[in-house]
Amino acid sequence: HPEFTPQNTLWLSFFLADHLYEAEVADNILRTAFTTLPEMDVFLLALPNDQRLFAPMRQMFEYVPPLDEVPMLPCKLHACPRGLYIPNLLVRTARVEDHDDLVPVFNSQSEVLSERYGEFF
């Protein structure tokens, strides 16, 4: 899959938690990893064909079908996208018109900007 690269992918290779806390622990691990590693877009998990995804991971990971018709692979690939934990943001280049929308925000947050840089900081 072209969207999975070494630069934006982490592999989950081992997970062990007390049965009572496994969902909470898995959720915290994934949320913390995506929060502290902003360049990561996906967690991948490979499981042997004869194993099912275990309980807490079923809600977090989805099956990734092979790209090509490959004769019986020894494992299945599952992915957990960053968007499940941290919303994807669109970042664009600023425009002159943005100034009018941002002035009230800046003015309500700090008088220092106006004092230091004048009315048109």
Side-chain angles (χ1 to χ4, degrees), residues 5 10 19 23 32 41 43 45 49-50 55 65 68 79 97 99 102 112:
T5 68
L10 287 170
H19 181 67
T32 301
D41 292 329
F43 256 95
L45 172 64
N49 286 330
D50 61 346
D68 300 321
E97 300 83 34
H99 180 268
L102 293 173
V112 175

Side-chain angles (χ1 to χ4, degrees), residues 10 24 31 39 49 52 64 82 87 94 97-98 115 117:
L10 287 170
E24 183 180 354
R31 184 176 310 284
E39 64 279 2
N49 286 330
R52 288 186 36 204
V64 179
R82 174 186 199 83
E97 300 83 34
D98 294 337
E115 290 173 8
Y117 301 109

Side-chain angles (χ1 to χ4, degrees), residues 1-112:
H1 290 269
E3 68 271 18
F4 304 150
T5 68
Q7 291 79 24
N8 73 354
T9 303
L10 287 170
W11 285 90
L12 180 62
S13 58
F14 187 80
F15 178 80
L16 178 66
D18 186 296
H19 181 67
L20 295 173
Y21 306 105
E22 62 189 4
E24 183 180 354
V25 169
D27 188 62
N28 283 332
I29 288 171
L30 293 170
R31 184 176 310 284
T32 301
F34 284 131
T35 301
T36 58
L37 301 167
E39 64 279 2
M40 293 300 139
D41 292 329
V42 66
F43 256 95
L44 295 180
L45 172 64
L47 288 177
N49 286 330
D50 61 346
Q51 285 188 354
R52 288 186 36 204
L53 213 60
F54 40 98
M57 300 301 179
R58 283 188 208 123
Q59 292 81 33
M60 301 167 193
F61 284 79
E62 55 192 35
Y63 174 68
V64 179
L67 288 177
D68 300 321
E69 293 297 321
V70 181
M72 196 60 172
L73 292 173
C75 63
K76 292 180 184 175
L77 185 64
H78 301 272
C80 175
R82 174 186 199 83
L84 286 179
Y85 290 92
I86 298 175
N88 294 324
L89 298 176
L90 173 64
V91 179
R92 64 168 175 77
T93 305
R95 299 181 188 135
V96 173
E97 300 83 34
D98 294 337
H99 180 268
D100 295 337
D101 296 330
L102 293 173
V103 168
V105 175
F106 292 147
N107 287 342
S108 69
Q109 298 295 319
S110 174
E111 294 178 15
V112 175

